[in-house]
Amino acid sequence: MHSRSYIQEQKLSYQQSLANQLVTAVIILNAELAIVYANPAAEALLNKSLYRLYNTAAESIFAKTSINSTRLKQLIATGQEFTDSDIVIELNESHRFTAEVTASSVEFAQTPHVLLEFKQIDQQKQISLEVFQHQQWLAARDLIKGLAHEIKNPLAGLRGAAQLLSKEVSEEQQEYTSMIIEQADRLTNLVDRLLGPNQLPQIKAHNIHGILEKVCQLVSYSNGQKFHLLRDYDPSLPQVECDQEKLQQAVLNIVNNAIQAIDEIHDITIKTRIASNKTIHGKRVKLAVQISIIDNGPGIPSKIQDTLFYPMVSGRSNGTGLGLSIAQTLINQHQGKLSCHSRPGHTEFTILLPLKQQPLNQTPLSQENEL
Ligand SMILES: Nc1ncnc2c1ncn2[C@@H]1O[C@H](COP(=O)(O)OP(=O)(O)OP(=O)(O)O)[C@@H](O)[C@H]1O
Ligand SMILES: [Mg+2]
């Protein structure tokens, strides 16, 4: 038989780790309606650490929503819990989300408190949309790969036959055979791009910034005068297990698009951060490296936004529409995710690469800085 105090101690330790593991964001307010506790999911949702949130008035979070101090005080007085859905919480201009909020009263140290639980609705919708789009992308890619494969073999035969023929015909007629060869080569090139990267990634630990700098160097050599390249790197990023060449190619495809999007000089920012609690193709990832490529160009044409990553979708008259599909394949090979948010004046591509091992310090420095 275990003693009562032992069981109580166990219970507290389970409760503590449970709160830390929960996907639901949980906040506790004291009787003055100031924050006294936020679990890690709440810290991530509000983009602030408990240290920063402590003693913040609940009103500052719920401004312009149906949850106000009168209702929360009433809850403390009567114990009548409530749930409000579709609460739009606006933390600042660029950070707003829709949530279902449940408020109930709880007692700690014999004083009444308010327990707030947040279910982020837009995130759930976004996750289902992402999973659906990913499946569509896989189906489109497989179809095109199958087609490309079927074209490739006869194409090689065609080219070989034209080569043999060129030895038999007069010099004048060789003009025709070399045209066949030239066009067959052009098609083979296209078909190879359609088939996508076919080698398995060579995974090693790399410094992400080294890879990004290589991309910056490559684009500056060819189009340096067309844009301002800005870096916003987090120097405390740990090394990432990845295939250097493949990651470089993926980022290059995205940066090239940003360069091609506009003729005037504009800004392209490459930003790196540590991200926590992200969802990658329906799976929850505790820590990931986030690379963002942001430009202030005209934005992605709205008619291609939903199918942007599908092969052969292009908004440019001379584009093949393969750059992003290839980038997507390369990032998927790293169990990562490539996504995009775009409006006129701000296009942001985000690459998430899961970190397999936690860095030695549980909370990465960068995260603390950001919170
Ligand atoms: N940063 C951006 N700003 C505006 N539009 C973009 C941006 N990135 C991509 N796009 C749009 O997305 C389309 C698809 O890009 P993707 O790289 O897949 O193909 P592409 O650039 O047309 O051709 P390819 O890369 O194969 O030469 C582009 O044609 C362009 O219309
Ligand atoms: Mg492209």
Side-chain angles (χ1 to χ4, degrees):
M1 273 291 275
H2 292 292
S3 70
R4 248 188 121 69
S5 66
Y6 173 79
I7 295 173
Q8 185 65 20
E9 212 175 281
Q10 285 281 301
K11 188 174 150 191
L12 282 174
S13 101
Y14 279 125
Q15 278 169 351
Q16 178 62 35
S17 34
L18 195 68
N20 286 342
Q21 282 301 314
L22 280 182
V23 179
T24 308
V26 173
I27 286 178
I28 297 173
L29 309 176
N30 61 14
E32 283 74 49
L33 306 181
I35 297 175
V36 288
Y37 173 74
N39 73 345
E43 291 179 315
L45 188 66
L46 302 176
N47 211 9
K48 281 198 176 124
S49 63
L50 174 58
Y51 178 70
R52 291 262 180 98
L53 286 169
Y54 197 84
N55 240 343
T56 307
E59 270 198 336
S60 65
I61 298 171
F62 293 118
K64 294 190 225 153
T65 72
S66 57
I67 300 177
N68 52 35
S69 37
T70 317
R71 283 181 79 194
L72 293 172
K73 281 200 172 129
Q74 214 167 9
L75 164 74
I76 292 181
T78 62
Q80 180 62 55
E81 69 176 57
F82 62 83
T83 299
D84 280 14
S85 47
D86 286 338
I87 298 280
V88 179
I89 296 175
E90 199 167 333
L91 300 171
N92 56 46
E93 243 179 47
S94 60
H95 189 180
R96 70 193 329 243
F97 59 89
T98 312
E100 181 186 277
V101 181
T102 300
S104 47
S105 81
V106 280
E107 231 174 62
F108 290 106
Q110 273 116 44
T111 34
H113 286 69
V114 177
L115 174 73
L116 296 168
E117 294 167 61
F118 295 74
K119 249 189 237 152
Q120 206 182 332
I121 298 167
D122 42 7
Q123 191 192 36
Q124 284 165 0
K125 281 191 195 149
Q126 179 67 21
I127 290 170
S128 336
L129 182 72
E130 273 173 20
V131 170
F132 173 74
Q133 283 185 339
H134 184 62
Q135 281 163 351
Q136 294 278 308
W137 174 81
L138 286 175
R141 191 201 58 178
D142 287 350
L143 182 77
I144 286 188
K145 268 192 168 186
L147 209 67
H149 200 76
E150 287 304 306
I151 296 172
K152 203 172 164 149
N153 288 339
L155 206 56
L158 201 75
R159 190 188 191 283
Q163 240 171 345
L164 287 175
L165 199 63
S166 70
K167 288 185 192 143
E168 307 292 326
V169 295
S170 67
E171 216 165 284
E172 222 167 78
Q173 287 166 325
Q174 273 179 7
E175 199 183 312
Y176 301 120
T177 49
S178 37
M179 186 187 278
I180 298 174
I181 294 170
E182 198 181 294
Q183 291 302 318
D185 284 346
R186 200 178 69 84
L187 263 179
T188 309
N189 203 354
L190 175 70
V191 163
D192 281 341
R193 288 191 78 207
L194 280 173
L195 283 169
N198 59 357
Q199 270 150 9
L200 286 175
Q202 308 279 314
I203 303 288
K204 278 194 200 131
H206 287 288
N207 175 349
I208 285 287
H209 298 135
I211 298 176
L212 296 176
E213 278 307 301
K214 185 84 202 184
V215 174
C216 294
Q217 221 176 38
L218 285 170
V219 292
S220 302
Y221 285 156
S222 45
N223 313 271
Q225 60 288 49
K226 262 188 78 184
F227 52 87
H228 297 132
L229 203 52
L230 310 168
R231 281 104 161 155
D232 178 2
Y233 292 164
D234 175 347
S236 69
L237 282 195
Q239 291 213 323
V240 179
E241 302 265 314
C242 64
D243 181 315
Q244 182 172 6
E245 296 285 319
K246 286 179 189 276
L247 192 59
Q248 188 179 307
Q249 186 61 53
V251 178
L252 189 62
N253 288 4
I254 298 167
V255 175
N256 271 337
N257 282 344
I259 297 170
Q260 287 156 355
I262 194 163
D263 286 334
E264 296 150 35
I265 291 188
H266 61 305
D267 295 340
I268 299 175
T269 309
I270 304 187
K271 184 167 137 185
T272 58
R273 289 288 182 274
I274 282 278
S276 56
N277 284 326
K278 293 285 175 186
T279 307
I280 298 185
H281 306 311
K283 284 194 203 124
R284 192 164 168 239
V285 170
K286 285 222 137 174
L287 277 182
V289 163
Q290 182 170 313
I291 306 167
S292 309
I293 296 119
I294 307 159
D295 74 77
N296 59 356
I300 312 268
S302 56
K303 64 175 190 304
I304 62 166
Q305 282 210 5
D306 289 344
T307 50
L308 188 64
F309 296 105
Y310 292 11
M312 309 209 83
V313 169
S314 177
R316 295 191 293 120
S317 52
N318 55 349
T320 49
L322 291 175
L324 288 177
S325 174
I326 291 172
Q328 172 96 301
T329 306
L330 295 169
I331 300 301
N332 283 350
Q333 286 184 339
H334 290 82
Q335 281 76 50
K337 182 169 93 171
L338 173 62
S339 57
C340 171
H341 291 281
S342 176
R343 55 183 151 83
H346 186 100
T347 298
E348 183 160 352
F349 281 87
T350 308
I351 298 173
L352 278 177
L353 298 172
L355 276 175
K356 299 255 159 38
Q357 272 169 334
Q358 220 94 313
L360 282 179
N361 295 332
Q362 186 77 8
T363 315
L365 278 173
S366 54
Q367 196 185 346
E368 270 178 357
N369 290 342
E370 210 183 329
L371 294 177

